[in-house]
Amino acid sequence: MPRIALLIFLIFASSSILNAQNRRSKDTKVGFIGGYVYAEVNGENEDAKWNDYGSGGYAGAFVDIYITEKFHLQPALNLAYVNDFKIIYLPLMLKYQIGQRGFNVQAGTQVTYLLGGEDDIGTKDQFGWELGAGLGMDITKSIFIQGRYTYEVSRRKVDDFLGLPSQDFKFNNIMIGIGYRLSPVDRL
């Protein structure tokens, strides 16, 4: 069932990106983003709590949909590599533009899907749900930078992680990236 849901989301995201690219509308921008991701993993079982940290890189594509001059909706599809793990990030952020200089504040939700890594850790719940917030700034009409923090609301389960019994864990992420829009914005 999770694979079907992921497939449906990927088809929807792909068709949205292609549709937006074909229209080349003033109100919709399509582009690519990449950068650094820092992930904190917190876990617990009935005996103890633990945490671990990792970092890596991510890359993906986004669609920036203008709702009004100040509000934008930005769905994206990002693939990250963090300490031998592959993670798919599917953020949906609402952006509020501050002034005409390209500053924005972001808030929204993000679905993550843990693809696994070199070590088989027996993950039961591959999907996670996160809340996020961030800041962004346009450098030029096509290039921008952004930083986001996401806090996982859901809990995942792992069987036999490091030889320990079943545990709950969750991810919190900091993502810092640089993006490129295929069609430039009108401000700046």
Side-chain angles (χ1 to χ4, degrees), residues 20-82:
Q21 182 63 21
N22 288 336
R23 284 189 334 202
R24 294 220 181 255
S25 168
K26 174 186 172 192
D27 297 336
T28 303
K29 306 296 182 195
V30 177
F32 301 98
I33 191 164
Y36 171 79
V37 61
Y38 173 82
E40 175 187 33
V41 182
N42 298 305
E44 64 182 55
N45 61 18
E46 53 275 341
D47 297 332
K49 291 185 178 186
W50 55 271
N51 61 3
D52 196 6
Y53 307 92
S55 62
Y58 77 96
F62 67 89
V63 178
D64 193 356
I65 304 163
Y66 285 42
I67 299 170
T68 68
E69 190 65 30
K70 295 281 187 186
F71 287 99
H72 303 208
L73 189 63
Q74 187 178 43
L77 171 64
N78 299 318
L79 177 63
Y81 292 93
V82 178

Side-chain angles (χ1 to χ4, degrees), residues 101-114:
R101 292 303 214 180
F103 292 102
N104 63 71
V105 178
Q106 307 168 10
T109 186
Q110 176 169 280
V111 174
T112 58
Y113 185 76
L114 180 63

Side-chain angles (χ1 to χ4, degrees), residues 95-176:
K95 294 171 44 177
Y96 177 74
Q97 297 295 327
I98 301 171
Q100 290 295 315
R101 292 303 214 180
F103 292 102
N104 63 71
V105 178
Q106 307 168 10
T109 186
Q110 176 169 280
V111 174
T112 58
Y113 185 76
L114 180 63
L115 296 172
E118 293 179 10
D119 299 326
D120 183 17
I121 61 171
T123 306
K124 283 185 181 176
D125 298 328
Q126 299 283 341
F127 280 100
W129 176 57
E130 302 171 0
L131 297 176
L135 298 171
M137 183 178 81
D138 293 336
I139 303 297
T140 68
K141 291 185 176 200
S142 294
I143 298 172
F144 65 92
I145 58 173
Q146 69 180 17
R148 292 182 184 157
Y149 174 78
T150 59
Y151 175 82
E152 186 163 358
V153 179
S154 61
R155 287 230 174 243
R156 303 170 198 238
K157 284 216 176 288
V158 175
D159 285 334
D160 193 30
F161 183 65
L162 302 175
L164 299 172
S166 180
Q167 303 178 55
D168 292 338
F169 73 99
K170 65 180 186 170
F171 285 97
N172 299 324
N173 300 288
I174 295 174
M175 300 176 88
I176 300 169

